[in-house]
């Protein structure tokens, strides 16, 4: 296999589909062929997770955090619509950062990831 990079798009529920893709790549022993992963929004969480080479059990565990923090149903449709219009997305960077920090702390027992919040406004 000659693939070196993998890209995960944003798009909310795509994160759940990407979890299945990562698990399938694990099952086929293909994850070690990739050198770089990148993504946007929920795809950034999947790219981070992919880079850690998690087990399928860890993927299931971490995707629960994605569902609870990002994909959870909301009663605030108007507020989310305004966020989409004024801030280029339904969620701000905080919920994505919380999930990444949870994964990092669980996997490495550390919580010192540095995320440049200015990147959100590019």
């Amino acid at each position: 296999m000659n693939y070196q990079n993998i890209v995960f798009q944003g798009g909310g529920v795509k994160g759940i589909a990407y979890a299945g893709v990562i698990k399938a790549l694990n099952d086929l022993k293909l994850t070690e062929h990739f050198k770089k992963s990148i993504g946007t929004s929920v795809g950034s969480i999947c790219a981070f997770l992919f880079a850690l080479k998690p087990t399928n059990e860890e993927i299931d565990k971490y995707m629960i955090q994605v569902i609870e923090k990002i994909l959870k149903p909301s009663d605030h449709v108007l507020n989310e619509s305004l966020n989409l219009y004024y801030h280029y997305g339904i969620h701000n960077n905080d919920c994505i950062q919380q999930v990444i920090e949870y994964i990092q702390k669980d996997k490495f027992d550390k919580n010192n990831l540095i995320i440049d919040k200015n990147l959100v406004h590019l």
Side-chain angles (χ1 to χ4, degrees):
M1 180 152 264
N2 201 18
Y3 299 109
Q4 295 183 6
N5 307 312
I6 189 165
V7 179
F8 299 94
Q9 290 180 306
V13 295
K14 283 183 188 175
I16 296 171
Y18 289 147
V21 168
I22 297 170
K23 288 169 72 171
L25 290 171
N26 277 347
D27 291 342
L28 297 170
K29 308 273 190 258
L30 296 176
T31 54
E32 64 263 8
H33 295 286
F34 292 92
K35 294 181 179 158
K36 296 178 185 174
S37 60
I38 192 165
T40 59
S41 194
V42 75
S44 67
I45 294 170
C46 294
F48 178 72
L49 187 59
F50 184 83
L52 297 177
K53 308 292 186 214
T55 65
N56 286 356
E57 293 76 24
E58 288 175 320
I59 293 169
D60 291 340
K61 176 181 178 181
Y62 299 144
M63 289 314 293
I64 290 171
Q65 288 297 306
V66 171
I67 292 166
E68 288 179 355
K69 300 271 187 208
I70 297 174
L71 304 179
K72 65 182 178 181
S74 174
D75 294 330
H76 307 288
V77 174
L78 177 59
N79 187 39
E80 289 181 353
S81 298
L82 292 174
N83 275 341
L84 183 63
Y85 181 77
Y86 288 111
H87 303 290
Y88 310 109
I90 291 175
H91 299 288
N92 63 21
N93 182 35
D94 293 341
C95 59
I96 293 170
Q97 183 174 346
Q98 287 171 6
V99 172
I100 289 175
E101 287 173 350
Y102 169 83
I103 293 168
Q104 177 185 273
K105 179 144 180 62
D106 185 75
K107 187 92 170 154
F108 301 110
D109 199 26
K110 293 182 181 177
N111 198 17
N112 58 359
L113 180 70
I114 298 171
I115 295 178
D116 185 350
K117 292 190 180 203
N118 292 323
L119 293 175
V120 176
H121 302 292
L122 292 178

